Amino acid sequence: MEKKIFIEKFREALEIKSLNLDENTPLKSIDGYDSMSVMAIIALVDELFSKRLTAKQLAQVSNIKSLMELIGFENFS
Amino acid sequence: MLGRDESTLNETLEMLQPAHHALAVIDLNNFSSYTDAIAPFVENNGKIYGIVHSAGLEFSGPYNLTKPQNFQNIFNINAVAGFELARIVASKFADTETGGSYVFISSIRALFGVEFATAYSASKGAVIAASRSLSLELAKKHIRVNTISPSLVLTPLLEKYFESLHEDTIRKMKEQHPLGFGMPEDVANACIYLLSDASRWMTGNNIILDGGYSVR
């Protein structure tokens, strides 16, 4: 999957409207980022990559780049 | 016992006391396979008195990621499979003299909302609603139909769900259950009651098993 498409799907899943989002944007800087956002990311990754992440794994994720690393960079172009 | 995972079925079989138990490996999505799976059991053991439909799929996702296919997948297993099983058994394999008792496992999520469970809640709500109608139709065959709505029961499915939650969230969920989370045998005991004559005057009903979750 292209990185920019993934970022767009990430934006849609978390319903991020105003923020200029890129792979280095700190997740905690996203307005309203909370435990529900974590569940939304888990559901998104499961849907797109059939990979089930855990809340513990996501606690180590600081931005979209590190999320892509967790999913596996080989899945992105 | 019907299910798609043979090792899980065998594991359950080993836990049961010796009796006329039998298992058949089928994919519950394959509705047309039910009759062939049940017929040999009936031939060897006689007509079927009771059914417990406890197969379940869980899907947690925000509404904007919950698509028609998610609803269809979860409805097939959580609701349609049980009612197709009931249709086949009641029309072909039920003892018309003794009647019977059919039990469908719903969920507390059918009654109390929670975020990210739209498809799951809908499928479990369908189980309760359809059971009430079915209970009226099957009453003339002396077949009772009831549902059980458990809250959180410590099963592998729940453990998988907990992996998507922060520890604080799990702690709060536990606090919402004055008697703690349930165990599989808590649900099994309610099934025993509903299958037995102890509940012979009960049909179209729903038993809530929730460790006190809904009291407040």
Side-chain angles (χ1 to χ4, degrees), chain B residues 58-163:
Chain B
E58 190 267 334
F59 174 78
S60 299
Y63 77 95
N64 56 357
L65 292 181
T66 306
K67 296 172 182 162
Q69 194 58 52
N70 300 115
F71 277 95
Q72 280 161 12
N73 292 345
I74 207 161
F75 262 76
N76 271 355
I77 296 299
N78 293 3
V80 181
F83 294 113
E84 176 60 2
L85 194 60
R87 186 183 73 83
I88 288 169
V89 171
S91 58
K92 295 181 182 171
F93 302 120
D95 188 330
T96 49
E97 283 180 23
T98 59
S101 173
Y102 300 170
V103 181
F104 301 102
I105 306 300
S106 178
S107 166
I108 197 76
R109 294 289 162 251
L111 307 166
F112 293 86
V114 67
E115 297 92 341
F116 289 5
T118 307
Y120 181 79
S121 302
S123 73
K124 293 298 189 175
V127 170
I128 295 176
S131 294
R132 289 169 68 86
S133 274
L134 186 61
S135 70
L136 296 175
E137 286 195 60
L138 293 183
K140 55 190 161 217
K141 290 188 172 187
H142 306 290
I143 294 170
R144 298 181 292 108
V145 181
N146 292 287
T147 56
I148 298 172
S149 293
S151 188
L152 298 174
V153 176
L154 293 168
T155 61
L157 199 68
L158 182 67
E159 280 162 25
K160 190 178 155 202
Y161 173 62
F162 277 171
E163 286 179 357

Side-chain angles (χ1 to χ4, degrees), chain A residues 9 12-15 35-40 42-44 47 52-56 59, chain B residues 58-65 67 70 115-116 160-167 169:
Chain A
K9 288 191 178 291
E12 283 170 25
L14 272 67
E15 298 190 320
S35 59
M36 290 292 150
S37 313
V38 170
M39 287 184 72
I42 289 171
L44 176 71
E47 182 192 277
R52 188 84 183 176
L53 302 179
T54 67
K56 268 187 188 165
Chain B
E58 190 267 334
F59 174 78
S60 299
Y63 77 95
N64 56 357
L65 292 181
K67 296 172 182 162
N70 300 115
E115 297 92 341
F116 289 5
K160 190 178 155 202
Y161 173 62
F162 277 171
E163 286 179 357
S164 65
L165 303 177
H166 192 273
E167 282 172 13
T169 308

Side-chain angles (χ1 to χ4, degrees), chain B residues 201-212:
Chain B
W201 204 40
M202 188 171 172
T203 196
N205 235 311
N206 178 48
I207 296 179
I208 295 175
L209 289 177
D210 66 358

